[in-house]
Amino acid sequence: MAEYRDSSGKRLDDYPQPSVAVDTAVLTVADGALAVLLVRAGDSDDEWRLPGSFLHAGETLRGAVLRSLRAKAGIDGLRPRQLHVFDEPGRDDRGWVLSVAHVDVVRVDRLPASEVHLLAPVDDLPDLKYDHRDIVAFAVDALRAEYLSSPDPAGLLEAPFTMRQLRLAHEAVSGEALMPDTFRRAMLPQLRATGELLIEGRGRPAELFERA
């Protein structure tokens, strides 16, 4: 088989080749606020980054993401999806590196707690390596757009739940207060009442719902 050359007579190896990395924004709600999972950047005590890795030879992007989450963050069983390619030539001080960013959203009880992990509120991030702050912002914008019209599409709440619990989850994601009546009218057509009530304290029993 003849060696491939393009219309300019060049082989693939004649072109400069960037390194390819994967970085994942794992988002959750912790203490009533949207947060992202960070890992320590090397031996630094005050610099953090998203869990990620370089793509290995013969490896798929998904395989690299799952491997990096397992090795860097101690998490298995996630279902990250591709978010965006960050390709600014100077984004990484180690060289020419493209990052295929991914995002996943999970309940906080699925995330590790240790000295090398940090759940940082997305509106109060520490110093991050490379352009990871931009990756977090992109992931947050995408998630907030999904929560504008659908009831907890990422499944942060376990059904059944009350309308108030659902609204508080949406407020945590959006980062702002929502009008209870307006929120109820928007969400109610997409919910199914279970016929059960939740009784908490002396307040009025609250109706329980699940996603339709």
Side-chain angles (χ1 to χ4, degrees):
M1 183 176 177
E3 183 181 48
Y4 170 79
R5 292 180 181 272
D6 66 11
S7 59
S8 301
K10 293 184 177 181
R11 301 167 301 175
L12 292 181
D13 290 344
D14 292 331
Y15 290 95
Q17 299 180 20
S19 298
V20 178
V22 292
D23 296 295
T24 305
V26 180
L27 301 174
T28 191
V29 169
D31 298 324
L34 189 62
V36 63
L37 178 68
L38 304 175
V39 296
R40 285 198 188 280
D43 296 327
S44 174
D45 290 332
D46 56 1
E47 198 166 35
W48 299 85
R49 55 163 294 166
L50 297 172
S53 176
F54 287 105
L55 186 67
H56 292 178
E59 189 176 38
T60 64
L61 291 168
R62 176 176 174 77
V65 170
L66 295 178
R67 172 178 55 78
S68 67
L69 288 172
R70 185 169 54 251
K72 303 289 181 64
I75 312 173
D76 275 307
L78 298 191
R79 301 179 64 181
R81 66 181 189 273
Q82 285 190 28
L83 178 68
H84 186 70
V85 176
F86 288 79
D87 61 355
E88 179 64 34
R91 60 172 298 276
D92 193 315
D93 57 13
R94 296 169 297 182
W96 186 21
V97 181
L98 308 183
S99 176
V100 183
H102 288 65
V103 62
D104 205 349
V105 187
V106 299
R107 297 173 192 160
V108 69
D109 57 9
R110 295 190 60 189
L111 300 180
S114 75
E115 293 182 354
V116 296
H117 300 115
L118 175 68
L119 276 180
V122 299
D123 294 326
D124 187 23
L125 294 173
D127 290 336
L128 299 182
K129 291 286 285 184
Y130 318 121
D131 56 358
H132 288 193
R133 182 178 291 270
D134 295 334
I135 296 176
V136 173
F138 201 104
V140 168
D141 286 346
L143 181 64
R144 285 175 172 169
E146 293 176 5
Y147 270 70
L148 287 176
S149 57
S150 299
D152 187 26
L156 288 167
L157 287 176
E158 186 173 358
F161 43 76
T162 66
M163 189 64 72
R164 180 177 182 274
Q165 289 170 336
L166 181 63
R167 177 171 53 81
L168 291 177
H170 277 248
E171 288 182 344
V173 170
S174 69
E176 58 186 27
L178 302 173
M179 294 295 292
D181 291 342
T182 303
F183 179 80
R184 182 182 180 89
R185 286 195 299 270
M187 295 296 136
L188 200 53
Q190 304 175 72
L191 299 173
R192 179 170 50 244
T194 65
E196 299 177 350
L197 299 175
L198 177 65
I199 301 174
E200 289 183 321
R202 299 180 181 179
R204 184 177 171 184
E207 193 173 10
L208 287 169
F209 297 90
E210 58 188 10
R211 299 166 191 85

